[in-house]
Amino acid sequence: MQPLQLPIVFICLLALGQACQDSASTTTTKDWWENAQFYQIYPRSFMDSDGDGIGDLNGITSKLEYLKELGVTAAWLSPIFKSPMVDFGYDISDFFDIQPEYGTLEDFRNLIKKANELELKIILDFVPNHSSDENEWFKKSVKREKGYQDYYVWHDGKVNASTGVREPPSNWLQAFRGSAWEWVEERQQYYLHQFAVQQADLNYRNPDVVAQMKRVLRYWLNEGVAGFRCDAVPVLFEVEPDENGQYPDEGLSGLTDDVDNRNYLKNELIENRPETIDMSYQWRTVMDDYQRIHGGETRVLLIETYAPPAYTMQFYGNRSVEGAHLPFNFNLITVPASSGVSAGSIKTAVDNWLLNMPSGRTANWVIGNHDQRRAASRYGVANTDAMNMLVMILPGASVTYQGEELGMTDGWISWEDTQDPAACNANEDTYEEFTRDPSRTPFQWTSDTNAGFSTAAKTWLPLASDYETVNVAMESAASKSHLTIYKSLIELRKGSKTLQNGATKYAVLNEEAFVVKRYLSGYPIIVYVANLGNASLTVDLQEFDTTLASSLTMEISSLDSQKTEGALIEVSSIALSAGEALVLTSI
Ligand code: NOJ
Ligand code: MG
């Protein structure tokens, strides 16, 4: 059991838009997850062992050594459970078994065994909000079988007074376009689905459901997993029906006139409810109890949440209760997406987390996942290293989505090849606005056929076009590549007390440069500086911090940087080309 850590943290705002976070954490021993390098595997696209064009568990097992070489601490796997694959595993028909095209429970046990040998941790995706409509629970619920009547959120709907026609209970919309309610002839009721029609929302106001889902957690803990990434948590609870048993309508957001798009509504009634926060605390208790009873290292909870900071931060817990170890911090994704990639938007993203995080908690940094376009495509290929460096230099845990270490970019997927329900529910003209397929293309291992991912004639999604140059084989052989830079960063993180325990100060310089200083009494200072603009510029780091020595040593530089490792850099005048990023140290 990890002792409760409450180092004193002072957050202060300095002049010039600079912010610093000072923490007296020199003596604190960190638990494994606090400085962990998490790596997300999208199993369908990582490695195919049996030539069916679809990634699988044995494929992952065969590549665990790669993760070990990278220096990854823990891999989290998108869902591997039995599923009709409407939403590629996020529609689970059996929470206690493995999807046959991915392998068997035996294969999973082999994966865990190999991971244990390599001292890698495996984290599974827990999908608590919904099950597939092919799940036995749903079938029983449709039939109103004893014990399952209220497993899902059912409602009669309402009869339109003027037309006499039955309509859905409310105007709520699902995430993939269209009504969040689906009529079931057999039961003569609507059920709620916040995602696809085939993803029925479980009813968390039913204690049997709460207990069942805790069983799911314990079942996989028994199989040796190190924790869970919890899917779509903010939509777990919806508002309760009013005194007449009706669900109120959502107000209009005013954002779009596309009436099928969920953004059309405010979504205040179906997301970010207080009951959800409490449920996450209950799951934390499951993790802690499990460790208390069975021993071993901390089992972690990582929470998927795109909610505003005031809501997201509650997942951490409070003075009297422990919550998730890490609610994912998606600010580096969402802020630049809405205000453009710039040093300013990066600073806003960092502020959003560090200035709102409760004291004593651990930060984390995410730049991509299977629901977003690829990081290199969003931030610009030139900023690939700058962004990989940033998430490793900032304090706390860092998360990599498979392929970010290579600078993989979006694949282009035709309408005919489109797989993602979010895109299939649109049309040929609009699907590219919604599709998540481009970041799910097969992982690029080599320059050979199918990038070494599969021997199949056709892979489930086509390869991204740059696979012949952007791949593990090429980048490992190169003297300098995104991959070698990524490895050096992990190595630096692992060996640096400053990065593990140090305080943080950061600022925007010259409009387009972002600079971070990490410092810890008695240890070398580490400075990150990146030019995130489109033109060259020259920065004076002493303007940022007058206490810096006049020169620092170049430790790691971005791919196209001409500065050599080990060179002394005059901090008062550092010329940086567009996308150039450096990690400097005081020795
Ligand atoms: C979030 C997952 O990341 C996404 O891929 C999925 O479609 C939804 N939750 C529904 O489970
Ligand atoms: Mg396969």
Side-chain angles (χ1 to χ4, degrees):
M1 186 83 264
Q2 187 211 343
L4 188 66
Q5 295 171 4
L6 288 174
I8 314 148
V9 176
F10 313 97
I11 306 284
C12 62
L13 283 170
L14 301 179
L16 291 168
Q18 297 179 6
C20 80
Q21 188 202 34
D22 227 322
S23 62
S25 54
T26 334
T27 54
T28 314
T29 312
K30 301 275 182 184
D31 199 355
W32 71 266
W33 52 273
E34 294 179 273
N35 282 303
Q37 184 61 47
F38 292 99
Y39 186 98
Q40 181 191 353
I41 291 180
Y42 193 68
R44 207 169 177 80
S45 300
F46 194 56
M47 182 66 197
D48 173 21
S49 72
D50 60 358
D52 63 355
I54 295 169
D56 45 53
L57 296 183
N58 288 341
I60 296 172
T61 308
S62 73
K63 293 296 186 185
L64 288 177
E65 262 131 9
Y66 167 69
L67 299 187
K68 186 70 195 173
E69 264 168 50
L70 288 183
V72 162
T73 322
W76 80 261
L77 274 48
S78 280
I80 55 171
F81 317 105
K82 211 158 175 219
S83 163
M85 292 287 154
V86 170
D87 192 19
F88 298 102
Y90 286 97
D91 49 319
I92 299 173
S93 52
D94 186 347
F95 284 83
F96 303 100
D97 206 354
I98 303 286
Q99 167 69 354
E101 65 193 342
Y102 292 167
T104 61
L105 199 53
E106 227 19 69
D107 295 332
F108 181 69
R109 290 179 176 148
N110 283 338
L111 188 158
I112 293 284
K113 188 165 167 271
K114 181 78 194 259
N116 284 341
E117 281 162 23
L118 294 171
E119 293 179 352
L120 280 171
K121 293 186 163 62
I122 301 293
I123 291 171
L124 289 183
D125 209 328
F126 174 52
V127 186
N129 179 65
H130 43 267
S131 81
S132 161
D133 60 349
E134 292 187 21
N135 195 302
E136 283 306 311
W137 306 336
F138 187 76
K139 292 182 187 164
K140 290 179 179 177
S141 197
V142 166
K143 293 189 168 28
R144 296 181 196 259
E145 270 187 36
K146 194 160 174 282
Y148 293 88
Q149 298 98 318
D150 300 325
Y151 240 62
Y152 295 83
V153 183
W154 294 101
H155 197 274
D156 294 338
K158 49 189 183 199
V159 177
N160 183 313
S162 48
T163 63
V165 175
R166 189 189 296 275
E167 289 176 356
S170 67
N171 69 346
W172 302 352
L173 294 172
Q174 57 141 313
F176 303 144
R177 302 178 67 76
S179 174
W181 296 101
E182 183 74 4
W183 176 253
V184 176
E185 203 51 39
E186 188 177 346
R187 182 165 158 145
Q188 291 287 302
Q189 276 191 314
Y190 290 91
Y191 68 87
L192 178 73
H193 56 94
Q194 295 235 24
F195 295 91
V197 171
Q198 298 88 343
Q199 292 167 293
D201 269 49
L202 287 156
N203 176 16
Y204 274 79
R205 300 194 190 276
N206 178 349
D208 290 351
V209 169
V210 172
Q212 178 73 277
M213 296 314 281
K214 288 180 184 171
R215 256 186 84 215
V216 171
L217 292 171
R218 292 192 195 97
Y219 179 86
W220 293 104
L221 287 172
N222 278 335
E223 291 293 338
V225 306
F228 299 89
R229 173 268 187 187
C230 306
D231 179 75
V233 178
V235 298
L236 213 59
F237 280 88
E238 301 74 34
V239 72
E240 283 190 276
D242 62 21
E243 62 279 7
N244 302 317
Q246 299 302 314
Y247 285 108
D249 279 343
E250 288 280 2
L252 303 186
S253 67
L255 276 184
T256 158
D257 57 4
D258 177 355
V259 297
D260 276 336
N261 187 325
R262 192 179 171 100
N263 294 339
Y264 184 67
L265 303 176
K266 283 189 177 155
N267 301 321
E268 291 166 340
L269 309 173
I270 59 168
E271 286 182 3
N272 308 346
R273 311 294 305 172
E275 300 93 323
T276 301
I277 300 285
D278 178 68
M279 191 53 54
S280 74
Y281 298 167
Q282 294 189 34
W283 298 335
R284 170 64 185 259
T285 305
V286 173
M287 299 299 114
D288 289 353
D289 284 353
Y290 193 89
Q291 190 189 15
R292 201 171 297 128
I293 296 163
H294 300 274
E297 292 184 85
T298 303
R299 315 305 197 280
V300 293
L301 282 181
L302 317 175
I303 300 260
E304 187 202 28
T305 160
Y306 287 90
Y311 188 74
T312 296
M313 294 301 166
Q314 295 179 48
F315 283 112
Y316 274 120
N318 53 48
R319 281 175 190 278
S320 51
V321 60
E322 291 294 310
H325 299 81
L326 302 169
F328 276 134
N329 171 7
F330 294 135
N331 281 281
L332 288 171
I333 297 173
T334 55
V335 180
S338 57
S339 47
V341 176
S342 67
S345 66
I346 296 298
K347 178 174 180 297
T348 304
V350 175
D351 280 346
N352 280 358
W353 203 265
L354 293 185
L355 302 184
N356 288 303
M357 187 173 72
S359 75
R361 303 292 173 182
T362 300
N364 72 97
W365 309 95
V366 189
I367 54 171
N369 59 45
H370 64 293
D371 294 329
Q372 309 294 334
R373 294 306 181 97
R374 283 209 164 265
S377 298
R378 276 181 289 112
Y379 304 108
V381 173
N383 291 328
T384 298
D385 303 312
M387 294 308 293
N388 281 340
M389 286 177 181
L390 182 65
V391 295
M392 300 234 213
I393 295 301
L394 286 169
S398 88
V399 187
T400 300
Y401 175 54
Q402 66 180 42
E404 277 167 8
E405 73 277 25
L406 305 173
M408 271 180 70
T409 56
D410 286 338
W412 182 78
I413 312 294
S414 68
W415 171 243
E416 288 70 33
D417 283 334
T418 290
Q419 304 281 343
D420 178 15
C424 295
N425 284 356
N427 61 49
E428 188 165 358
D429 297 325
T430 58
Y431 79 97
E432 290 192 77
E433 194 188 319
F434 303 100
T435 185
R436 298 170 297 175
D437 289 334
S439 61
R440 299 174 177 184
T441 59
F443 191 82
Q444 294 162 197
W445 295 102
T446 69
S447 313
D448 302 333
T449 316
N450 294 337
F453 161 73
S454 172
T455 55
K458 196 172 187 299
T459 52
W460 81 280
L461 274 177
L463 276 283
S465 58
D466 58 8
Y467 80 86
E468 285 178 0
T469 49
V470 179
N471 62 57
V472 174
M474 296 279 283
E475 295 195 28
S476 310
S479 57
K480 190 180 186 189
S481 65
H482 299 309
L483 185 62
T484 64
I485 293 165
Y486 180 91
K487 279 191 198 168
S488 314
L489 286 163
I490 296 195
E491 219 170 288
L492 179 71
R493 252 167 94 79
K494 288 200 161 154
S496 166
K497 275 265 175 246
T498 308
L499 291 182
Q500 290 162 13
N501 287 0
T504 307
K505 174 180 174 182
Y506 55 92
V508 171
L509 294 179
N510 301 36
E511 312 277 312
E512 283 309 342
F514 190 65
V515 51
V516 182
K517 174 185 152 188
R518 300 293 314 278
Y519 55 105
L520 183 67
S521 174
Y523 292 91
I525 286 167
I526 294 187
V527 173
Y528 159 91
V529 59
N531 175 1
L532 297 166
N534 298 319
S536 302
L537 49 79
T538 300
V539 290
D540 176 357
L541 291 187
Q542 265 160 351
E543 187 190 306
F544 159 66
D545 188 325
T546 49
T547 68
L548 283 182
S550 59
S551 60
L552 291 172
T553 305
M554 226 292 298
E555 189 78 27
I556 305 173
S557 65
S558 53
L559 191 53
D560 296 328
S561 171
Q562 301 304 314
K563 301 182 180 61
T564 43
E565 206 178 297
L568 274 184
I569 306 283
E570 291 295 323
V571 299
S572 57
S573 171
I574 304 180
L576 295 168
S577 57
E580 187 168 3
L582 309 174
V583 176
L584 310 168
T585 68
S586 63
I587 46 151

